[in-house]
Amino acid sequence: MHNTARLRDFVQAFTALVNESDDEAYLLDAGELLLADLIRHDDWLPEAYSQPGLTEYRQFLLHCDPLERFSVVSFVWGPGQCTPIHDHKVWGMVGVLRGLERCEEFAPDPQSGKLLALGSHELHPGSIDLVSPRIGDIHRVSNGLSDAPSVSIHVYGTNIGAQRRNLYDPSSSAQQPFISGYANAEVMNLWDRSDE
Amino acid sequence: MHNTARLRDFVQAFTALVNESDDEAYLLDAGELLLADLIRHDDWLPEAYSQPGLTEYRQFLLHCDPLERFSVVSFVWGPGQCTPIHDHKVWGMVGVLRGLERCEEFAPDPQSGKLLALGSHELHPGSIDLVSPRIGDIHRVSNGLSDAPSVSIHVYGTNIGAQRRNLYDPSSSAQQPFISGYANAEVMNLWDRSDE
Ligand SMILES: [Fe+3]
Ligand SMILES: [Fe+3]
Ligand SMILES: [Mg+2]
């Protein structure tokens, strides 16, 4: 039995946060505590939302705020899989639930506009990375394991699957507009409490 | 292609309503206009949410407000299927999308406590029935067609699948507590706008 109440409680607490404020720094601070609590336990995410694609990583919508003020997404990477270099154009939090993730940061060179690699680090389960146009918004995320999937739970300050943003070509630094969508046509029903 | 935007727009407009007020009469008045608009077109409900059970009617959660201030449910009756006599203990709206529904109203006799049948009427597509403890809360709904399913879209002032309420025995008028739950473990993903 999955502990669906964990995700439902998180959604309700995060809804209360966005009802209080739309200040990015406040939401990242307070929201990070909620996300840390959610990813402390790996007993609530159904199988269907933790399967990588055959050839590519996948992103599954877990919850979208009805007013699109935030969304919660599970990202799943199989061995060898990584995202393209991309931005978000909104605040985001990456919390690792399972496995190991490698994050590489980039920023445009102020003179040439070419993308510069700023560095990289590894995220273990329970760790959280933050992004936004204010604090650094361009990165590439890959699976740090060669023999198992890695899964992280992301929260963004909008309906991220509908967000107009950009991919970046690593050699030319050329930008390409993209809208990611979601891998899933159906989301978890968090609201059937009849067996709780 | 299903016109998912109709349900998404309805959810967003209804969320704005419950953010404005929690007054039942106001929500029934203003909400009825939104529901009438939603059920005016039958081009948005996926097949999976309009299938009756083999032996019983079914209720599919379409959307639950994250703060559980309202829920939207599709009810589907096959030929010969009906609900038990039941109450809601909260306001509700029944809007017929497809087919024909027969509604029978009941109320306890003030002297004996026995259930009295108050009358019945038929609802055609586009029509809306209202219930609540204030305006009449006990009814039985059945399919008015003998050769096809009927489908209605219901909105309630809580997470109705988790609501503690009652069934009524038609002969003894005895009450039995029940929590309905939902037939579906997954709900529509209303938020992938990438193909719109
Ligand atoms: Fe990212
Ligand atoms: Fe009812
Ligand atoms: Mg926004």
Side-chain angles (χ1 to χ4, degrees), chain A residues 157-176:
Chain A
T158 189
N159 175 1
I160 195 67
Q163 177 82 333
R164 288 172 195 281
R165 47 198 179 120
N166 296 296
L167 303 179
Y168 296 81
D169 183 301
S171 45
S172 70
S173 296
Q175 299 184 26
Q176 188 190 324

Side-chain angles (χ1 to χ4, degrees), chain A residues 11-12 15 19 49 61 63-68 159 162 179 181-182 184-189 191-194, chain B residues 11-12 15 19 49 61 63-68 159 162 179 181-182 184-189 191-194:
Chain A
V11 162
Q12 294 194 322
T15 301
N19 279 344
Y49 304 91
L61 179 68
H63 174 77
C64 184
D65 175 64
L67 301 180
E68 294 173 287
N159 175 1
I179 298 176
Y182 297 108
N184 52 323
E186 299 195 300
V187 301
M188 292 166 67
N189 181 347
W191 309 104
D192 191 337
R193 298 166 175 269
S194 61
Chain B
V11 162
Q12 295 194 322
T15 301
N19 279 343
Y49 304 91
L61 180 67
H63 174 76
C64 185
D65 175 65
L67 301 180
E68 296 174 286
N159 175 1
I179 297 177
Y182 297 109
N184 52 324
E186 298 194 301
V187 300
M188 292 166 66
N189 180 347
W191 309 104
D192 191 337
R193 298 165 175 269
S194 62

Side-chain angles (χ1 to χ4, degrees), chain A residues 49-90:
Chain A
Y49 304 91
S50 58
Q51 299 297 319
L54 199 60
T55 58
E56 280 194 305
Y57 77 103
R58 288 170 85 182
Q59 51 200 316
F60 299 95
L61 179 68
L62 300 181
H63 174 77
C64 184
D65 175 64
L67 301 180
E68 294 173 287
R69 296 168 300 177
F70 74 97
S71 52
V72 187
V73 182
S74 68
F75 275 67
V76 188
W77 287 266
Q81 295 178 356
C82 71
T83 67
I85 301 174
H86 64 277
D87 61 22
H88 311 85
K89 300 202 174 297
V90 70

Side-chain angles (χ1 to χ4, degrees), chain B residues 86-88 94 131 139 141 154 156 165:
Chain B
H86 64 275
D87 61 23
H88 311 85
V94 175
V131 295
H139 69 173
V141 184
H154 300 205
Y156 300 95
R165 46 197 179 119

Side-chain angles (χ1 to χ4, degrees), chain B residues 45-57:
Chain B
L45 187 67
E47 283 294 299
Y49 304 91
S50 58
Q51 299 297 320
L54 199 60
T55 58
E56 279 195 305
Y57 77 104

